[in-house]
Amino acid sequence: MVKNNPEAKFTLEYKSVTVFAPINAAFQKYPKPIDESQFYLTLYHMGSLAKTTDQLATMTHINTELEGHPPLWITTKSDPNGNELYVNNAKILQDLSNIKAKNNGKEQVVHKIDEVLVPTTSPRTLASGLAKPNALDFLSQFETLDINPYRVRNFRQRVQQLQKQDVFRNMGTHTFFIPIDEGILHSDLIDNKTIDGHLIPKKVLFTAPTHRDIAFETTANGDNLKVYITFFQEPNDKTEAVYIKSETRVGDARHSPGVVISEIVKPNIPVENGVIHLIQKPLMVVDTTVNQFLQVYQAPTMNAGKNLYFNVATSGDDSVLTVEGGGVNATVIQANIAATNGIIHIIDRVLGVPYTTVYDKLQQDPMLNETFHLGSFGDFNAQLNNTKKKFTFFVPRDKAWADARLIQPSTVKKLFMRELGYYAQQILQRHLVESEVPYTMERLVKLTTNKTNSATRVPRKEVELQSLRSTLRISVEERQNHTYVIHWKGNRIPVFRPNVECTNGIIHVIDAPFLQEDDIRVIRDSGVGIFLSSNLLMVLLVKWLFL
């Protein structure tokens, strides 16, 4: 390259320079062959003045011998085995560098690097005077630059409409992210603050020397808005694709808190005021957030009749979002990741593959604490761990017990007295059915539906389920929105969450307990209160008659 470039030979003959020399392997991975039309590449690898690696480590950039003297950006990357030094995105191979010489009294030094340095220019742009474009020049005149097959017209148009040119014109050391046309589906969602969220100020971050998983502030940050950008790579990804994660930690009326992940489709484009990365889609644009799911508490899935159920468990100042599907309760570890055709929430378990017993499910689900607590008064809960049995458990959720305290305050108060745990077990036994095959809601609907119901309004028939406490007589209605209602003793009890699968049965989470006022009665003898259920009272009376 040097031999074929008279200007490069003249520079080496008469000037003090730093030469960044790509090793042969660097040219082998360069995407296209080097020819005479790329003569300008050679001068871009020559920095004005001779600098050793120690000297370069104290600098942010060094100007080149290419026309206009566009800069090369210097980055020091901390590493446990010693600091690494980069020029643009190329690593300086320090053990093979600092080769010093003098020519005609001019000091010169050579550093070997592992990538070919590519300027953001071409013979055409050089001829037009665009020797060292800044980020605004790049955005305004990208048609003249070699960035095929990508186009950035949509983002450029939005920058012009909102008069945000100064964001890209400002001199300094910045990192710019520009979304390509294909990824912008709703340009009206890109406003002033969104554009600010595409710039990391006062840092030039090329992909190779930038540490992963470190959050950098954007220019969108203010008193009421906090937006950060992180570089990351998927582990074991052989494509070596680099992504950025835009995280809006504090949102406002137009910018929802959440995460947007975008792939860098063309990285490391050097400009006079920093570096540009072309990205697959805009940052900060979150179309749907998990809050929308929480407002309806549940969401249908592609599996007909199967829903996902969301819950927020709060402990002090900490909140944990959980989602349940097919009997599996998973924690959302990363919410609101926007994609081009929807949104992603990363969870810590596979949904739909049960791995807990009825006991474990009751113990772990933050919505079922009250029933689990009630079952702990005796040995009721212990049987729920038996994997040799199949249970159908109608479980009142915590809100069901809270509502019952308002409707039947005296009965519920007695029920939750630990010293009266016998009666708690009796009531829970009414809710628990043991059978060879658990009863799904669909099966119960089929068993209790008269064929002529819809036409003649014949009352729904009841099914007798053998619960651990006598017979449970119920009928089940499926409503038009595919939710269920249980009819029991004249009560209509909505099923909040049906068919929660466990390894030893099924749980149906219901909105009211199978409980009546006369389930627990009070008999007073010599001023001492004794609480008896009506059924137990009948048993004792029969026994007394036969004595």
Side-chain angles (χ1 to χ4, degrees), residues 30 40 91 100 128 146 155 163 171 184 215 241 258 274 341 350 361 366 404 454 459 472 483 519 527 542:
Y30 188 66
Y40 59 93
K91 183 179 179 179
K100 299 178 182 178
S128 65
D146 184 17
F155 191 74
Q163 299 182 0
M171 296 308 297
I184 300 181
N341 60 343
V350 177
K361 181 60 181 173
S454 58
L472 177 64
T483 60
D519 280 330
V542 170

Side-chain angles (χ1 to χ4, degrees), residues 457-483:
R457 299 186 182 274
V458 175
R460 191 173 297 275
K461 65 180 180 181
E462 291 184 328
V463 63
E464 293 186 357
L465 304 178
Q466 192 59 47
S467 73
L468 298 194
R469 181 188 176 188
S470 67
T471 300
L472 177 64
R473 299 173 60 89
I474 62 171
S475 64
V476 178
E477 167 194 355
E478 183 177 6
R479 295 184 288 195
Q480 289 186 346
N481 60 356
H482 301 295
T483 60

Side-chain angles (χ1 to χ4, degrees), residues 497-513:
R497 194 188 302 173
N499 303 329
V500 178
E501 297 178 43
C502 302
T503 55
N504 60 342
I506 284 179
I507 289 174
H508 302 300
V509 181
I510 56 178
D511 273 346

Side-chain angles (χ1 to χ4, degrees), residues 534-547:
S534 57
N535 286 358
L536 180 61
L537 184 63
M538 183 67 70
V539 171
L540 292 176
L541 181 59
V542 170
K543 285 186 177 180
W544 179 79
L545 289 173
F546 282 93
L547 288 177

Side-chain angles (χ1 to χ4, degrees), residues 198-349:
H198 286 74
L199 167 64
I200 297 175
K202 301 178 182 178
K203 295 182 185 296
V204 178
L205 303 174
F206 286 80
T207 56
T210 301
H211 283 288
R212 306 304 188 242
D213 303 318
I214 293 179
F216 297 96
E217 291 191 18
T218 70
T219 54
N221 280 25
D223 294 336
N224 302 317
L225 191 64
K226 302 292 183 185
V227 183
Y228 297 82
I229 287 177
T230 302
F231 288 71
F232 76 97
Q233 284 178 281
E234 293 290 348
N236 303 320
D237 185 353
K238 295 182 180 179
T239 67
E240 298 184 353
V242 181
Y243 300 83
I244 54 168
K245 177 173 69 177
S246 163
E247 182 179 8
T248 304
R249 296 181 183 175
V250 178
D252 57 22
R254 282 187 58 89
H255 310 93
S256 301
V259 171
V260 175
I261 290 178
S262 185
E263 182 181 355
I264 299 179
V265 296
K266 187 173 181 63
N268 308 317
I269 302 171
V271 287
E272 186 183 12
N273 53 348
V275 63
I276 291 172
H277 303 289
L278 297 187
I279 56 177
Q280 180 257 335
K281 64 176 182 176
L283 307 177
M284 289 181 62
V285 179
V286 181
D287 294 327
T288 310
T289 70
V290 78
N291 292 333
Q292 293 173 291
F293 284 122
L294 291 175
Q295 290 169 7
V296 300
Y297 230 78
Q298 66 185 43
T301 69
M302 296 296 288
N303 189 353
K306 303 291 185 180
N307 289 349
L308 296 181
Y309 301 89
F310 292 84
N311 183 51
V312 176
T314 302
S315 177
D317 295 332
D318 298 326
S319 295
V320 176
L321 176 66
T322 62
V323 57
E324 183 185 273
V328 176
N329 202 61
T331 299
V332 178
I333 58 177
Q334 180 66 74
N336 305 329
I337 300 173
T340 54
N341 60 343
I343 192 159
I344 298 167
H345 308 293
I346 299 176
I347 58 177
D348 64 351
R349 292 189 186 277

Side-chain angles (χ1 to χ4, degrees), residues 402-422:
D403 292 342
R405 283 187 176 92
L406 299 176
I407 300 170
Q408 306 174 48
S410 177
T411 302
V412 176
K413 180 179 179 181
K414 298 164 190 172
L415 188 63
F416 276 84
M417 291 180 177
R418 184 171 287 275
E419 60 270 25
L420 304 174
Y422 173 81

